[in-house]
Amino acid sequence: MPEITLNVLPIFILILIGWALVRTGLLKDELGDSLGEFVFKVAVPVLLFRTIAEADFHGASPFRLWIAYFAGVGVTWTVGHLVATRVFERDARVGVLAGVSSAFANNVFIGLPLVSRIVGSDGIVALSILLAVHLPLMMIIGTVLMEQAERKIGGGSSRGLLSILRQIAGNLVRNPLVIGLAAGVVAHVSGLPIPDVLDNVVNQIAAMAAPTALLSLGMALNKYGVSGNFRIAGAISALKLLLMPACVWTACHLLGLGPEWTMAMVLTSSVPTGINAWLIANRFGVGHGLAASTITLTTAAGVATVTFWAWLLS
């Protein structure tokens, strides 16, 4: 356990440093937003490009990996929705947001650094395969369910599925992560070598992805907090940190996923809730407190629970 803790602790220490830099006024929170944009638009896409371009897939099919991970998403999302609507008697819109908050892991800002540090290159390959479909699927499901919930409550009309898919597809075409993955696939399939000078630049930018992501996330956490939703946020946080990785672990074993890919999927499913929950709350104007509280609580408790899952898998 001490060795596992030494691998996990630096991830959360960097988040804490980012939080403290803004909290103490040493740096302005706007810098955190800029660093986050650099991570999302430059550093992580370059890391994904390099990973896919150089990967050895050993002829493995991605479908079992996707099924294992999204089986965990489906179970946890459903339980989160039921906890919010049946136990805490919130409306259907908060139920959808509770499902999102319990099942939308921060795969980019925490999952990538964690998997890279503990699993290594094979784990990054597995996570890259997941990221190829994770964001579009989660955003489509979240948007469709939220619009249905709004129509049920308000009685208004909602956009059709085709309209939602068209909007999300347009966003994905311009999404830097998707562009990085697609470029990596082209480089991998073509087999063309990357010139030494360019390869050196790519490696240096890719190396920035993990520490910069963690610092920028810590700086962004100053926007959140726990705001009057402690009981429901605590329940949703427990689902995110405990139920979801347990479901993914079970599905990986039932489907016979290899040890490196299993570890990568379980670890990334165990990380705190991603800021996408907050973005969906902003988009629909509901559940800001729940999303913010869940992000804060899962990040605070994540050092213990992620350490537990890493120890269990070792």
Side-chain angles (χ1 to χ4, degrees):
M1 180 68 84
E3 183 179 350
I4 294 296
T5 303
L6 290 175
N7 274 325
V8 174
L9 202 55
I11 303 289
F12 289 89
I13 289 176
L14 281 170
I15 295 173
L16 179 62
I17 290 172
W19 175 84
L21 287 172
V22 171
R23 192 69 174 180
T24 59
L26 190 61
L27 295 177
K28 295 182 179 179
D29 56 3
E30 292 87 351
L31 178 58
D33 294 335
S34 299
L35 281 177
E37 281 200 45
F38 169 75
V39 169
F40 184 76
K41 294 181 177 179
V42 180
V44 170
V46 169
L47 172 62
L48 295 177
F49 164 78
R50 188 195 66 180
T51 300
I52 297 299
E54 299 176 352
D56 182 0
F57 294 100
H58 307 292
S61 167
F63 293 104
R64 284 188 299 163
L65 182 147
W66 290 333
I67 292 170
Y69 186 87
F70 287 107
V73 168
V75 171
T76 311
W77 190 315
T78 301
V79 174
H81 184 97
L82 292 174
V83 165
T85 55
R86 303 292 175 84
V87 177
F88 292 96
E89 299 181 338
R90 304 299 176 90
D91 66 37
R93 295 175 303 169
V94 176
V96 173
L97 190 65
V100 172
S101 300
S102 66
F104 212 137
N106 198 333
N107 293 326
V108 173
F109 285 83
I110 304 181
L112 274 170
L114 179 69
V115 170
S116 175
R117 187 176 183 88
I118 294 181
V119 186
S121 58
D122 284 344
I124 293 296
V125 170
L127 190 48
S128 300
I129 292 170
L130 173 65
L131 290 175
V133 299
H134 180 262
L135 182 62
L137 272 180
M138 297 293 282
M139 293 305 293
I140 288 170
I141 295 169
T143 302
V144 169
L145 291 178
M146 188 64 86
E147 292 204 354
Q148 287 180 343
E150 285 200 324
R151 183 176 59 179
K152 180 180 178 181
I153 293 171
S157 60
S158 65
R159 293 181 298 163
L161 178 59
L162 186 60
S163 173
I164 294 172
L165 291 176
R166 190 162 42 237
Q167 178 190 347
I168 292 176
N171 291 337
L172 287 174
V173 169
R174 299 185 295 271
N175 187 295
L177 300 182
V178 175
I179 293 171
L181 286 165
V185 169
V186 171
H188 182 86
V189 172
S190 69
L192 294 175
I194 301 174
D196 289 342
V197 173
L198 181 58
D199 187 53
N200 188 269
V201 172
V202 166
N203 288 335
Q204 290 189 65
I205 295 176
M208 295 186 216
T212 310
L214 296 168
L215 287 170
S216 66
L217 174 62
M219 296 169 81
L221 283 176
N222 285 276
K223 299 177 183 176
Y224 307 127
V226 180
S227 53
N229 292 273
F230 184 80
R231 288 179 63 238
I232 184 173
I236 298 304
S237 298
L239 296 179
K240 175 68 207 65
L241 297 174
L242 299 174
L243 178 62
M244 184 172 170
C247 291
V248 172
W249 182 82
T250 302
C252 286
H253 279 274
L254 290 175
L255 292 167
L257 227 59
E260 289 83 9
W261 283 24
T262 295
M263 182 176 283
M265 290 301 96
V266 175
L267 284 177
T268 196
S269 70
S270 74
V271 303
T273 298
I275 60 173
N276 303 81
W278 172 261
L279 297 178
I280 290 177
N282 270 343
R283 163 71 177 79
F284 290 95
V286 62
H288 296 82
L290 174 58
S293 298
T294 304
I295 291 169
T296 302
L297 288 175
T298 53
T299 303
V303 63
T305 55
V306 170
T307 299
F308 166 74
W309 288 109
W311 168 77
L312 190 66
L313 292 162
S314 63

